[in-house]
Amino acid sequence: MYKNLEEHNRLVNKYLKIFFVVALYWQRTSFKCMLCCGAIVVGFWLGVDQESLTEVFSWRGTVYGVLSSLALAMYSIQTKKSLSYVNQEVWLLSYYNNLYSTILFLPLIILNGELETIITYPHMWAAWFWAAMTLSGICGFAIGFVTALEIQVTSALTHNISGTAKACAQTVIATQYYRDVRSALWWTSNIVVLLASAAYTRVKQLEMLRHHQQRNAAPQKA
């Protein structure tokens, strides 16, 4: 039952990500790219079991899923916009993001009553604890940097599509690793999503190549 609700939320999230990226950022998207996005949405739709979905429908889960999708879409859009204010410096933007996050987390820790938990943690000054914290910080910074770099060189919509393809591929790999038995419709859903994501990648690659060739040819004509 949980799997069906999760598939439903994934479908809602995909609709929202595409809508907010196109509507709010207002970046022109070609018809071929929109067709690929539509195919991705159809792929998610195929994985939803509508008959059993209503038995486990949760308003709270749906609301949180919508809000998380909205936050992710808005983050991608604002990252694309904010790069112009830091002279397209991904390192500088990543530094600001981490600095502001550190400041914003301090009042949240206090409001949630976690300050005492941190102070009384028995391994607070253990070397292995700080080594693990340092490693997680480096990994988090690297993920944020790569995310901003991908959005810079492509677009907010492309970043969301690549995230969708990654999650879908991870699901398929995990299914094979744990030898889970899935229905033919489930496999069709994931195959459609992966193929549509690959088609979107190819379309954007050709568009970026054409744009690069036109930009290089402009000075020669002048």
Side-chain angles (χ1 to χ4, degrees):
M1 295 297 183
Y2 174 78
K3 177 183 65 177
N4 297 319
L5 180 60
E6 183 181 3
E7 292 292 337
H8 171 263
N9 286 335
R10 289 171 64 191
L11 176 62
V12 173
N13 290 346
K14 180 46 57 183
Y15 273 119
L16 286 173
K17 288 177 184 177
I18 294 175
F19 172 77
F20 280 110
V21 169
V22 174
L24 297 182
Y25 186 61
W26 203 247
Q27 184 177 15
R28 298 184 62 180
T29 304
S30 66
F31 179 71
K32 292 181 180 180
C33 288
M34 294 305 298
L35 282 180
C36 295
C37 293
I40 293 174
V41 173
V42 171
F44 277 110
W45 179 79
L46 291 175
V48 178
D49 186 351
Q50 297 292 337
E51 295 182 359
S52 59
L53 178 62
T54 55
E55 300 177 10
V56 293
F57 182 78
S58 170
W59 276 108
R60 178 179 296 181
T62 301
V63 170
Y64 280 125
V66 170
L67 291 178
S68 65
S69 178
L70 172 61
L72 181 58
M74 290 298 297
Y75 174 79
S76 302
I77 296 169
Q78 292 302 320
T79 297
K80 188 71 173 181
K81 289 183 177 180
S82 299
L83 283 168
S84 60
Y85 295 101
V86 293
N87 197 25
Q88 300 297 322
E89 291 288 344
V90 179
W91 281 106
L92 185 58
L93 182 61
S94 299
Y95 168 76
Y96 283 134
N97 283 338
N98 284 271
L99 179 62
Y100 294 151
S101 298
T102 302
I103 297 174
L104 292 174
F105 262 112
L106 294 177
L108 293 177
I109 291 174
I110 298 175
L111 291 175
N112 287 279
E114 298 177 351
L115 183 60
E116 184 179 356
T117 303
I118 297 175
I119 296 176
T120 58
Y121 184 62
H123 304 291
M124 172 59 68
W125 306 111
W128 64 266
F129 172 76
W130 285 103
M133 291 293 292
T134 302
L135 180 61
S136 64
I138 294 174
C139 292
F141 182 86
I143 292 174
F145 176 81
V146 173
T147 298
L149 182 62
E150 181 184 31
I151 295 174
Q152 179 195 37
V153 299
T154 58
S155 65
L157 179 59
T158 300
H159 169 68
N160 286 314
I161 297 298
S162 66
T164 299
K166 175 182 69 66
C168 187
Q170 288 175 337
T171 302
V172 174
I173 294 173
T175 301
Q176 292 301 296
Y177 180 81
Y178 291 105
R179 301 182 184 277
D180 291 340
V181 178
R182 301 285 182 166
S183 64
L185 187 59
W186 185 90
W187 281 106
T188 303
S189 170
N190 284 274
I191 291 174
V192 169
V193 172
L194 291 174
L195 290 178
S197 300
Y200 176 89
T201 302
R202 181 56 178 170
V203 170
K204 290 296 294 184
Q205 179 186 19
L206 294 176
E207 289 181 356
M208 292 177 68
L209 179 61
R210 183 168 59 253
H211 177 72
H212 178 71
Q213 292 175 346
Q214 292 176 353
R215 186 173 56 183
N216 289 340
Q220 296 179 0
K221 293 181 179 180

